[in-house]
Amino acid sequence: MLVTVPKYRLFFGGEILVRLAWLAIFFAVGGAATAQAQEPAVGTPAASTQLAPLQASPKLNLHTKIQDNDIASFMVADKMETDQDGKVILIGSAQVRRIDSVVKGDYIDYQKDTGQVRVRGNGLIMRDGSIIRGPAMDYNMDHESGEVDFPDFWLGAGGGSGTASKGEMFSRSEMRLNDVTYAGCPCPDPAWYIEAPKVDFHIDDNEGVAHNGVLYFKGVPLLASPYLSFPLRKERKSGFLLPTYGGSSNSGLEFTLPYYFNLAPNYDLTLTPRYMAKRGVQLGSEFRYLGADYSGQVSGTYLNNDKQAQQNRWMYWWQHQQTFGGGFYANVDVSKVSDDNYFRDFSVIGLNQATTNYLPRMATLGWSGAKYWTASVQAYTYQTLQDTSEGAGYLAPPYDKLPELYVRGARYDWGGFDVASTNYATRFVSPVYKGNVPQYQPYNGIHILPDGTRYSSYNTISYPIVRAGWYVTPKIGMHLSQYNTEWYGLPQYAGFPRTQSRAVPIMSVDSGMTFERKASFFGNDAIQTLEPRLYYLKVPYRDQSQIPVFDTGLATFNFSQAFDENIFSGGWDRIADANQLTLGLTTRWLDESTGFERLSLSAAQRIYFANQYVTLPGGAPRLDKKSDYLVGVNAALTDTLTTRFDAQFNPENNKRNRMTAGLRWQPKRLATLAATYRYERDPQQMSNPAIVYNPNYVNLTKEQVSVTAQWPLTKKLFTLGRIDYSLQEKRSTQSIVGLEYKGDCCWTARVVYQRYAVSLKDTNTAVFFQLVLGGLGSLGTDPIGLLGRSITGYQNITSPVPDKTTFERYE
């Protein structure tokens, strides 16, 4: 016997729980309201007049032991009928909601005891943000399994969607579809899709598997596979990554097919076979790991018997960071390659890697567990990669540090004083020179440079006086050092002492002021500043000609170094004597409303009150009374046009020693033009102009012009490029030309041509192709990193798409 129920909302199971919950809420709120209405008693302390906070009733606790079958079902329909067996028939705009699943349709019959739902007409199943539609479906809400005819489906937050002839749901996370068309792009008319007679979705594993699937782009098949795996969400999963391909003049046509192992949430592995037509098959790998107190990665490559070089080629790189507690930590950065030309032959990311000259290997154990003290012990070694082309010259390897102990203590604003102590103890081991090196003896088991140990301690005390608009900072310091040197009887060091000490006091006074006034900049209200700065430095002369030079060089003279304590950089093997005053002046124009800097002009120069006699080996004493002029200009002439200019001029001979000039115009997004000019005279010429007459002298002056661009040709087609031309070498050192196409939805295409110098005489030519399919990945070599480094102001033509959430389709 059927009973017709005129009401259209019913609860099954859990009615008593719901009623008890509402009663508990009523009494809890009513009790709180009564408490708020009571007046405080006369004589009650003021603190007791504050109302007691609300407290949750224990009757409202969540019942975690309730079985899924005992959770209430909620149904909606225009008409409902039930029979004696408990089957409910819902007709017209029917819905059944239970736990987090929703079933809809024109007609539903629901057996509560078994959880079985039969839907006919406009069926819909929603769970975890995923939606499946079909004209007819049978579904079990208890087991979350069933079948659906001719389904249309949307898979959760990933946005993947498609159609099929039949769907089978085995559980919440397992589903199989037949005769499937699938696309991971949310567009109405996706540019790419996958067709397969059978697709298995493993939702918890974030994997879809198309059996005998074909990947189509614009209706054209690109890739076919009997087992095509693809991600369902933006999460990691094991499987083959999309292949990459390209080519270069060094290696010929290239093809890679990476395989990714998602081993655990905190570590993974990628294996990358790389076929190079001219060289053979190279195997690359990368292992990443992450723990609570450590992280790192290990990567490497191996090519057995390179067909071009006729030798095995390899590379490895290990980075590790570790914390031990108590302020202790450790870092490791170790890398090595098989030969000098490894990066020149195998680089596919452009000029930066191909011109790698030094590979440092470093291990550090440090401590920073005290308030004012830090310490570390480090070991440094280097692999120096020589340019083996004819006429390239020899690159001197740096000293190894085996090891270096560092201790620093500092306390600031200690009764107004800043106190610091920096201490090093370093063992320097001379590098090994290979072959016949003109400026060194051949290495035949004998030492050609000294080894030694350097102990240094620099202790300073300063008293900063800072007031509104001005400051003065007097500072005094004492640099103490001792050298224990093994000269190995080398004739050029005859008579040099094995042990020697040095004590150099350093005194300076730094001062500056800032003035402001209202002004106008091209008719706009502005604030102009005037910022003079004076820096006086006094360092007495100490004869250092017999001290070895382990890691010290001449610093680049710029606005920062002009106000430094030493003209030598690196270690403290040379401390320049000084009696000098540095004058600096900067003026800025700032927008009055925003503070944006429209224009800044800077100038600086040193005035020398005495000659400087401390030099590096082979250098000449400085006898000038004034240093080079430093000038700098930075201007934002409009909101889209900026320019900068920096230069170093010699006032004695009116020659430039360094110069940089740049102009950048960016009228809108994805439209940028930039040009830069750089000049740097060989530092050896600046310290000793007569060196140009040395017959063995190699001029290292650099002069280069760079032009970069990214510009729209149409609304969808963009061009980009870069040209670096060395005026000193009279050749192009890098050229990049490319085209980018932005598709209607979910796809982008790029082709990039690059030619770059890998040595003094050799160049490499490479071509990159890339097709980016939104929601799937990219085919071809990804040049985005190269473009971002090389093209000034480069912007990706694909706007970032915000991630969707599980609740995107929540009802």
Side-chain angles (χ1 to χ4, degrees):
M1 176 180 178
L2 294 176
V3 179
T4 301
V5 183
K7 299 292 184 180
Y8 59 89
R9 284 188 172 87
L10 287 179
F11 288 93
F12 283 89
E15 289 185 20
I16 297 176
L17 286 175
V18 174
R19 291 178 180 176
L20 287 176
W22 276 109
L23 286 173
I25 293 173
F26 173 78
F27 284 119
V29 175
T34 304
Q36 293 181 16
Q38 292 177 350
E39 292 290 337
V42 178
T44 303
S48 65
T49 62
Q50 303 213 0
L51 300 177
L54 294 176
Q55 295 182 354
S57 170
K59 296 181 180 180
L60 299 179
N61 289 343
L62 180 65
H63 295 278
T64 57
K65 297 183 179 181
I66 295 179
Q67 300 296 321
D68 287 348
N69 293 337
D70 296 330
I71 295 178
S73 300
F74 178 56
M75 288 167 283
V76 178
D78 295 337
K79 182 180 179 181
M80 292 186 186
E81 298 176 345
T82 185
D83 62 12
Q84 293 177 340
D85 296 330
K87 178 185 289 186
V88 181
I89 299 174
L90 300 93
I91 302 172
S93 301
Q95 298 184 34
V96 179
R97 297 173 179 260
R98 187 163 182 272
I99 312 177
D100 60 351
S101 296
V102 179
V103 178
K104 295 183 179 182
D106 296 336
Y107 173 91
I108 298 177
D109 60 54
Y110 173 41
Q111 185 67 47
K112 178 187 175 299
D113 295 340
T114 63
Q116 190 67 30
V117 179
R118 190 168 66 98
V119 184
R120 296 297 181 265
N122 296 314
L124 178 146
I125 297 175
M126 177 186 295
R127 57 183 185 181
D128 291 337
S130 296
I131 296 176
I132 300 175
R133 296 181 182 271
M137 56 183 64
D138 295 294
Y139 181 68
N140 191 288
M141 301 192 74
D142 292 344
H143 303 123
E144 298 186 282
S145 61
E147 296 181 355
V148 57
D149 295 332
F150 302 103
D152 295 336
F153 58 90
W154 296 262
L155 298 179
S161 61
T163 61
S165 64
K166 184 178 181 180
E168 297 177 85
M169 293 163 282
F170 305 111
S171 66
R172 173 180 288 269
S173 62
E174 300 292 328
M175 183 169 60
R176 173 173 293 171
L177 299 173
N178 297 327
D179 302 322
V180 182
T181 299
Y182 171 82
C185 176
C187 301
D189 185 18
W192 69 268
Y193 56 89
I194 296 173
E195 287 188 352
K198 182 176 68 173
V199 175
D200 291 327
F201 290 110
H202 309 288
I203 297 174
D204 287 349
D205 295 333
N206 185 32
E207 182 182 35
V209 177
H211 300 275
N212 297 315
V214 180
L215 171 64
Y216 288 86
F217 173 70
K218 293 292 185 178
V220 178
L222 293 183
L223 182 66
S225 172
Y227 187 90
L228 183 60
S229 175
F230 55 90
L232 303 179
R233 301 181 301 275
K234 292 182 179 179
E235 297 176 5
R236 299 179 302 167
K237 78 174 196 69
S238 298
F240 284 103
L241 305 179
L242 289 176
T244 65
Y245 48 85
S248 67
S249 57
N250 272 345
S251 301
L253 294 177
E254 298 184 19
F255 178 81
T256 64
L257 183 61
Y259 190 90
Y260 176 77
F261 295 89
N262 186 22
L263 302 177
N266 62 326
Y267 56 90
D268 58 16
L269 172 68
T270 304
L271 296 180
T272 307
R274 176 183 175 189
Y275 170 76
M276 294 169 284
K278 291 185 178 181
R279 299 187 179 275
V281 178
Q282 178 191 71
L283 179 64
S285 64
E286 180 185 57
F287 177 72
R288 303 184 302 175
Y289 55 92
L290 175 66
D293 51 11
Y294 64 89
S295 64
Q297 65 180 25
V298 182
S299 60
T301 64
Y302 183 80
L303 172 60
N304 184 56
N305 192 22
D306 184 341
K307 292 187 290 185
Q308 291 275 66
Q310 298 299 315
Q311 64 175 350
N312 298 335
R313 314 289 295 276
W314 49 265
M315 179 274 294
Y316 67 81
W317 181 31
W318 177 38
Q319 286 184 310
H320 180 83
Q321 299 83 38
Q322 178 90 44
T323 57
F324 300 105
F328 286 93
Y329 64 91
N331 296 321
V332 177
D333 191 344
V334 177
S335 59
K336 191 173 183 179
V337 295
S338 57
D339 55 89
D340 290 329
N341 294 317
Y342 178 87
F343 289 119
R344 299 181 180 96
D345 291 342
F346 295 106
S347 174
V348 294
I349 60 173
L351 187 63
N352 288 355
Q353 191 183 41
T355 56
T356 299
N357 295 320
Y358 297 104
L359 289 179
R361 294 184 285 270
M362 177 270 294
T364 303
L365 176 62
W367 174 75
S368 57
K371 185 176 182 180
Y372 304 114
W373 292 93
T374 59
S376 67
V377 58
Q378 300 174 318
Y380 291 89
T381 63
Y382 301 86
Q383 181 183 10
T384 304
L385 306 182
Q386 301 290 346
D387 185 349
T388 58
S389 58
E390 183 180 355
Y394 190 80
L395 186 63
Y399 272 86
D400 294 332
K401 301 177 182 180
L402 298 171
E404 180 175 77
L405 175 64
Y406 165 77
V407 178
R408 174 176 168 80
R411 185 169 182 179
Y412 299 97
D413 197 15
W414 188 15
F417 290 90
D418 292 344
V419 181
S421 176
T422 305
N423 307 274
Y424 287 93
T426 309
R427 172 64 180 173
F428 291 96
V429 179
S430 59
V432 175
Y433 291 85
K434 301 177 182 178
N436 294 319
V437 184
Q439 62 267 49
Y440 304 102
Q441 301 175 20
Y443 182 78
N444 294 316
I446 62 172
H447 290 271
I448 60 175
L449 286 178
D451 293 343
T453 302
R454 181 182 68 199
Y455 304 94
S456 66
S457 178
Y458 185 37
N459 305 278
T460 64
I461 181 170
S462 62
Y463 189 81
I465 304 172
V466 181
R467 300 293 184 267
W470 62 275
Y471 70 91
V472 175
T473 304
K475 178 181 177 181
I476 57 174
M478 175 63 73
H479 191 280
L480 306 173
S481 53
Q482 179 177 331
Y483 289 80
N484 298 328
T485 310
E486 295 287 348
W487 299 106
Y488 299 115
L490 299 172
Q492 62 269 38
Y493 303 118
F496 282 34
R498 176 182 174 85
T499 301
Q500 51 187 317
S501 301
R502 177 184 58 184
V504 182
I506 300 174
M507 186 273 288
S508 65
V509 179
D510 192 4
S511 62
M513 302 182 71
T514 301
F515 302 93
E516 291 184 358
R517 70 167 185 171
K518 290 188 175 181
S520 176
F521 186 81
F522 290 101
N524 298 318
D525 293 336
I527 295 176
Q528 183 188 3
T529 69
L530 189 65
E531 305 166 31
R533 183 181 180 184
L534 298 176
Y535 178 77
Y536 176 75
L537 177 66
K538 174 66 176 178
V539 181
Y541 170 75
R542 297 289 187 270
D543 184 6
Q544 303 166 51
S545 59
Q546 295 186 342
I547 292 179
V549 177
F550 293 127
D551 61 349
T552 301
L554 185 65
T556 299
F557 186 51
N558 52 39
F559 280 97
S560 176
Q561 202 281 325
F563 298 91
D564 205 351
E565 296 175 340
N566 196 5
I567 66 170
F568 301 109
S569 63
W572 291 82
D573 297 324
R574 293 292 184 271
I575 302 175
D577 52 315
N579 183 9
Q580 63 194 37
L581 178 67
T582 303
L583 300 90
L585 182 64
T586 299
T587 181
R588 313 174 197 269
W589 278 262
L590 312 174
D591 278 347
E592 187 175 27
S593 58
T594 65
F596 179 73
E597 184 178 286
R598 287 293 180 183
L599 176 65
S600 69
L601 306 174
S602 301
Q605 187 183 36
R606 283 178 180 157
I607 307 298
Y608 300 115
F609 304 114
N611 298 331
Q612 175 202 314
Y613 295 103
V614 176
T615 67
L616 291 170
R622 179 196 48 74
L623 306 178
D624 299 332
K625 300 303 180 183
K626 296 180 181 180
S627 74
D628 292 352
Y629 290 113
L630 294 175
V631 294
V633 179
N634 288 280
L637 303 178
T638 68
D639 291 338
T640 61
L641 181 62
T642 59
T643 185
R644 63 185 180 89
F645 175 83
D646 298 285
Q648 175 185 345
F649 293 96
N650 188 317
E652 301 295 331
N653 55 25
N654 293 322
K655 291 184 178 180
R656 56 181 182 163
N657 287 324
R658 290 187 182 88
M659 179 182 292
T660 301
L663 183 70
R664 178 179 172 183
W665 182 45
Q666 189 170 15
K668 58 182 179 180
R669 173 173 156 76
L670 305 176
T672 303
L673 295 175
T676 304
Y677 170 81
R678 297 181 181 88
Y679 173 84
E680 182 177 358
R681 189 182 301 277
D682 185 353
Q684 297 181 84
Q685 291 187 25
M686 289 187 279
S687 61
N688 183 15
I691 198 173
V692 296
Y693 302 109
N694 188 324
N696 295 323
Y697 170 68
V698 177
N699 190 354
L700 300 180
T701 298
K702 300 177 182 178
E703 188 173 16
Q704 179 177 287
V705 176
S706 299
V707 179
T708 67
Q710 181 185 22
W711 202 259
L713 301 178
T714 67
K715 290 183 178 181
K716 297 182 178 181
L717 184 63
F718 301 80
T719 185
L720 52 88
R722 175 184 180 121
I723 296 177
D724 294 332
Y725 186 82
S726 173
L727 300 174
Q728 181 73 11
E729 302 175 22
K730 294 181 173 57
R731 66 164 181 161
S732 172
T733 56
Q734 181 174 218
S735 302
I736 299 174
V737 180
L739 289 174
E740 297 182 293
Y741 185 84
K742 184 178 181 181
D744 296 331
C745 183
C746 289
W747 72 278
T748 304
R750 296 182 178 90
V751 56
V752 178
Y753 167 86
Q754 183 189 24
R755 182 180 181 273
Y756 55 96
V758 296
S759 64
L760 182 64
K761 296 184 178 181
D762 299 328
T763 61
N764 187 26
T765 301
V767 179
F768 305 93
F769 301 96
Q770 186 187 36
L771 176 63
V772 181
L773 305 178
L776 183 64
S778 65
L779 295 168
T781 303
D782 186 0
I784 292 297
L786 167 68
L787 300 180
R789 290 191 308 271
S790 303
I791 309 298
T792 303
Y794 173 80
Q795 295 175 306
N796 195 326
I797 64 174
T798 303
S799 301
V801 178
D803 292 334
K804 295 183 178 180
T805 70
T806 304
F807 306 102
E808 182 94 2
R809 304 182 182 95
Y810 177 77
E811 290 193 353

